[in-house]
């Protein structure tokens, strides 16, 4: 009889293809998060940008400007509208990926702490010298280029 890879709870472990698909989806989400944060940072760094008549020059001010109902959390519509006001293009699937990646407590909303944590993670990746492009991550460490992953997405 064929060997079963069922875990302790009786679940089948994922196939290699399923596992690679999950890894690919996760990398796609991280790429979008880094792309989003870079675009918002560039817009904020340009100075004099307003969102809903509020001057925004950092991510905390951006968050508060988008939080029109003062709930302390941003839903997808608030995020999408704010991005559009900064001329940052966003597609629905990318927006959901972004929220999924930042949303630590899984309430389908982004709190200020979650946004700032995501910004810090993206900054750390940039400081280390990580570039993510076309499914390939390049890490520059001590002047040496290391290809971390190469896979077409």
């Amino acid at each position: 009889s064929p060997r079963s890879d069922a875990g302790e709870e009786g679940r089948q472990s994922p196939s290699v293809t399923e596992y690679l698909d999950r890894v690919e989806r996760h990398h796609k989400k991280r790429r979008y998060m880094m792309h989003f944060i870079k675009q918002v940072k560039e817009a904020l760094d340009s100075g004099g940008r307003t969102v809903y008549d509020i001057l925004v020059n950092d991510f905390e001010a951006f968050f508060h400007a988008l939080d029109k109902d003062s709930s302390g959390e941003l839903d997808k519509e608030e995020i999408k509208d704010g991005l559009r006001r900064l001329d940052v293009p966003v597609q629905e699937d990318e927006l959901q990926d972004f929220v999924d990646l930042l949303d630590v407590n899984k309430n389908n909303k982004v709190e200020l702490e979650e946004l700032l944590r995501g910004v810090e993670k993206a900054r750390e990746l940039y400081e280390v010298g990580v570039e993510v492009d076309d499914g390939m991550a390049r890490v520059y460490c001590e002047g040496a280029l290391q290809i971390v992953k190469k896979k077409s997405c």
Side-chain angles (χ1 to χ4, degrees):
S1 75
R3 183 178 165 265
S4 171
D5 287 331
E8 291 178 19
E9 300 169 8
R11 291 180 289 157
Q12 291 262 335
S13 58
S15 71
V16 172
T17 303
E18 292 168 331
Y19 175 76
L20 291 175
D21 285 345
R22 276 191 291 176
V23 168
E24 184 177 329
R25 282 192 307 274
H26 179 74
H27 285 289
K28 178 183 173 192
K29 289 178 184 182
R30 288 190 72 164
R31 275 195 314 276
Y32 181 69
M33 181 183 76
M34 290 176 69
H35 175 73
F36 157 80
I37 289 173
K38 179 181 177 189
Q39 287 191 299
V40 171
K41 182 171 179 358
E42 287 172 358
L44 297 177
D45 287 347
S46 69
R49 297 300 300 258
T50 59
V51 176
Y52 302 117
D53 298 322
I54 298 172
L55 180 64
V56 292
N57 54 8
D58 62 23
F59 281 94
E60 188 168 349
F62 178 66
F63 178 91
H64 290 297
L66 298 186
D67 187 18
K68 294 187 295 185
D69 61 359
S70 300
S71 65
E73 54 193 19
L74 303 176
D75 61 30
K76 287 189 313 184
E77 289 304 311
E78 289 173 312
I79 295 169
K80 181 171 57 176
D81 292 345
L83 292 175
R84 288 190 174 145
R85 290 183 175 271
L86 288 179
D87 301 318
V88 175
V90 62
Q91 296 177 2
E92 196 64 34
D93 61 330
E94 293 172 330
L95 180 61
Q96 185 61 55
D97 287 346
F98 177 74
V99 170
D100 290 346
L101 195 58
L102 291 181
D103 184 20
V104 175
N105 64 9
K106 303 302 179 204
N107 66 350
N108 207 30
K109 297 182 182 193
V110 176
E111 287 85 21
L112 176 60
E113 183 180 313
E114 293 171 328
L115 176 65
L116 296 179
R117 185 179 308 121
V119 169
E120 185 57 34
K121 282 183 180 182
R123 273 195 193 125
E124 289 171 5
L125 290 174
Y126 281 118
E127 286 174 10
V128 172
V130 175
E131 293 178 9
V132 181
D133 185 31
D134 296 328
M136 182 184 298
R138 300 170 185 89
V139 178
Y140 297 90
C141 183
E142 298 177 10
L145 170 64
Q146 300 175 359
I147 304 299
V148 174
K149 176 180 174 156
K150 182 177 182 182
K151 180 177 167 121
S152 61
C153 294

Coordinates of all heavy atoms in Angstrom, one line a residue, residues 83-113:
L83 N -4.0 55.3 -0.9 CA -3.0 55.1 -1.9 C -3.3 55.9 -3.2 O -2.4 56.4 -3.8 CB -2.9 53.6 -2.2 CG -2.4 52.7 -1.1 CD1 -2.4 51.3 -1.4 CD2 -0.9 53.1 -0.7
R84 N -4.5 55.8 -3.6 CA -4.9 56.6 -4.8 C -4.6 58.1 -4.7 O -4.2 58.7 -5.6 CB -6.3 56.3 -5.2 CG -6.5 54.9 -5.7 CD -7.8 54.6 -6.3 NE -7.8 53.3 -6.9 CZ -8.8 52.5 -6.9 NH1 -10.0 52.9 -6.4 NH2 -8.8 51.3 -7.5
R85 N -4.9 58.6 -3.5 CA -4.6 60.0 -3.3 C -3.1 60.4 -3.3 O -2.8 61.5 -3.6 CB -5.2 60.5 -1.9 CG -6.7 60.5 -2.0 CD -7.3 61.0 -0.7 NE -8.8 61.1 -0.8 CZ -9.4 62.2 -1.2 NH1 -8.7 63.2 -1.6 NH2 -10.7 62.2 -1.3
L86 N -2.3 59.4 -3.1 CA -0.8 59.6 -3.2 C -0.4 59.1 -4.6 O 0.8 59.0 -4.9 CB -0.1 58.8 -2.2 CG -0.1 59.3 -0.7 CD1 0.7 58.4 0.2 CD2 0.3 60.8 -0.7
D87 N -1.3 58.8 -5.5 CA -1.0 58.4 -6.9 C -0.2 57.1 -6.9 O 0.6 56.8 -7.8 CB -0.2 59.5 -7.7 CG -1.0 60.7 -7.8 OD1 -2.2 60.7 -8.0 OD2 -0.4 61.8 -7.6
V88 N -0.5 56.2 -5.9 CA 0.1 54.9 -5.9 C -0.9 53.9 -6.4 O -2.0 53.7 -5.8 CB 0.5 54.5 -4.4 CG1 1.0 53.0 -4.4 CG2 1.5 55.4 -3.9
P89 N -0.7 53.3 -7.6 CA -1.6 52.4 -8.2 C -1.7 51.1 -7.3 O -0.8 50.6 -6.8 CB -1.0 52.1 -9.6 CG 0.4 52.4 -9.5 CD 0.6 53.4 -8.4
V90 N -3.0 50.6 -7.2 CA -3.2 49.4 -6.4 C -4.3 48.6 -7.1 O -5.2 49.1 -7.6 CB -3.6 49.8 -5.0 CG1 -4.8 50.6 -4.9 CG2 -3.6 48.5 -4.1
Q91 N -4.0 47.3 -7.1 CA -5.0 46.3 -7.6 C -5.6 45.6 -6.4 O -5.0 45.4 -5.4 CB -4.4 45.3 -8.6 CG -3.8 46.0 -9.8 CD -3.1 45.0 -10.7 OE1 -3.1 43.8 -10.5 NE2 -2.6 45.5 -11.8
E92 N -6.8 45.1 -6.6 CA -7.6 44.5 -5.5 C -6.8 43.3 -4.9 O -6.7 43.2 -3.6 CB -9.0 44.1 -5.9 CG -9.9 43.8 -4.8 CD -10.2 45.0 -4.0 OE1 -10.3 46.1 -4.5 OE2 -10.4 44.8 -2.7
D93 N -6.2 42.4 -5.7 CA -5.5 41.3 -5.2 C -4.3 41.7 -4.4 O -3.9 41.1 -3.4 CB -5.2 40.2 -6.3 CG -4.3 40.8 -7.4 OD1 -4.3 42.0 -7.7 OD2 -3.6 40.0 -8.0
E94 N -3.6 42.7 -4.9 CA -2.4 43.2 -4.3 C -2.7 43.8 -2.9 O -2.0 43.7 -1.9 CB -1.7 44.3 -5.1 CG -1.1 43.7 -6.4 CD -0.5 44.8 -7.3 OE1 -1.0 45.9 -7.3 OE2 0.4 44.4 -8.0
L95 N -3.8 44.6 -2.9 CA -4.3 45.2 -1.6 C -4.6 44.1 -0.6 O -4.2 44.2 0.6 CB -5.5 46.0 -1.9 CG -6.1 46.8 -0.7 CD1 -5.1 47.7 -0.1 CD2 -7.4 47.5 -1.2
Q96 N -5.3 43.1 -1.0 CA -5.6 42.0 -0.1 C -4.4 41.3 0.4 O -4.2 41.0 1.6 CB -6.6 41.0 -0.7 CG -7.0 39.9 0.3 CD -7.8 40.5 1.5 OE1 -8.8 41.2 1.3 NE2 -7.4 40.2 2.7
D97 N -3.4 41.1 -0.5 CA -2.1 40.5 -0.1 C -1.4 41.4 0.9 O -0.9 40.9 1.9 CB -1.2 40.3 -1.3 CG -1.6 39.1 -2.2 OD1 -2.5 38.3 -1.8 OD2 -1.1 39.1 -3.3
F98 N -1.4 42.7 0.7 CA -0.8 43.6 1.6 C -1.4 43.5 3.0 O -0.8 43.4 4.0 CB -0.9 45.0 1.0 CG -0.3 46.1 1.9 CD1 1.0 46.2 2.1 CD2 -1.2 46.9 2.6 CE1 1.6 47.2 2.9 CE2 -0.6 47.9 3.4 CZ 0.7 48.0 3.6
V99 N -2.8 43.6 3.0 CA -3.5 43.5 4.3 C -3.2 42.2 5.0 O -2.9 42.1 6.2 CB -5.0 43.7 4.1 CG1 -5.8 43.4 5.4 CG2 -5.3 45.1 3.6
D100 N -3.2 41.1 4.2 CA -3.0 39.7 4.8 C -1.6 39.7 5.5 O -1.4 39.1 6.5 CB -3.0 38.7 3.7 CG -4.5 38.4 3.3 OD1 -5.4 38.8 3.9 OD2 -4.6 37.7 2.2
L101 N -0.6 40.3 4.8 CA 0.8 40.2 5.3 C 1.0 41.1 6.6 O 1.7 40.6 7.5 CB 1.7 40.7 4.2 CG 3.2 40.4 4.4 CD1 3.4 38.9 4.6 CD2 4.0 40.9 3.3
L102 N 0.3 42.2 6.6 CA 0.5 43.1 7.8 C -0.4 42.7 9.0 O -0.1 43.0 10.1 CB 0.2 44.5 7.4 CG 1.2 45.2 6.5 CD1 0.8 46.6 6.2 CD2 2.6 45.1 7.0
D103 N -1.6 42.1 8.7 CA -2.6 41.9 9.7 C -2.3 40.8 10.6 O -2.7 39.7 10.5 CB -3.9 41.6 8.9 CG -5.1 41.5 9.8 OD1 -5.0 42.0 11.0 OD2 -6.1 40.9 9.4
V104 N -1.5 41.1 11.7 CA -1.1 40.2 12.6 C -2.2 39.5 13.4 O -2.2 38.3 13.6 CB -0.1 40.8 13.6 CG1 0.3 39.8 14.7 CG2 1.2 41.3 12.9
N105 N -3.2 40.3 13.8 CA -4.3 39.7 14.6 C -5.4 39.2 13.7 O -6.5 38.7 14.3 CB -4.8 40.8 15.6 CG -5.5 42.0 14.9 OD1 -5.6 42.0 13.7 ND2 -5.8 43.0 15.7
K106 N -5.3 39.2 12.4 CA -6.2 38.5 11.5 C -7.6 39.0 11.6 O -8.6 38.3 11.5 CB -6.2 37.0 11.6 CG -4.8 36.4 11.4 CD -4.2 36.8 10.1 CE -2.8 36.2 9.9 NZ -2.1 37.0 8.9
N107 N -7.8 40.4 11.7 CA -9.1 40.9 11.7 C -9.5 41.6 10.4 O -10.4 42.3 10.3 CB -9.3 41.9 12.9 CG -8.4 43.2 12.7 OD1 -7.6 43.2 11.9 ND2 -8.7 44.1 13.6
N108 N -8.6 41.4 9.4 CA -8.8 41.9 8.0 C -8.7 43.4 8.0 O -9.2 44.1 7.1 CB -10.0 41.4 7.4 CG -9.9 41.4 5.9 OD1 -8.8 41.2 5.3 ND2 -11.0 41.6 5.2
K109 N -8.0 44.0 9.0 CA -7.7 45.4 9.1 C -6.3 45.7 9.5 O -5.7 44.8 10.0 CB -8.7 46.1 10.0 CG -10.1 46.0 9.6 CD -11.1 46.7 10.5 CE -12.5 46.4 9.9 NZ -13.5 47.2 10.5
V110 N -5.8 46.9 9.3 CA -4.4 47.2 9.6 C -4.4 48.3 10.7 O -4.9 49.4 10.4 CB -3.6 47.6 8.4 CG1 -2.2 48.0 8.8 CG2 -3.6 46.5 7.3
E111 N -3.8 47.9 11.8 CA -3.7 48.9 12.9 C -2.3 49.7 12.7 O -1.5 49.2 12.0 CB -3.7 48.3 14.3 CG -5.1 47.8 14.7 CD -5.5 46.4 14.2 OE1 -4.5 45.7 13.8 OE2 -6.7 46.1 14.1
L112 N -2.2 50.8 13.4 CA -1.0 51.6 13.2 C 0.3 50.8 13.5 O 1.2 50.8 12.8 CB -1.0 52.8 14.1 CG 0.2 53.7 14.2 CD1 0.6 54.2 12.8 CD2 0.1 54.8 15.2
E113 N 0.2 50.0 14.6 CA 1.4 49.2 15.0 C 1.7 48.2 13.9 O 2.9 47.9 13.7 CB 1.1 48.5 16.4 CG 2.3 47.7 16.9 CD 1.9 47.0 18.2 OE1 1.4 47.6 19.1 OE2 2.2 45.8 18.3

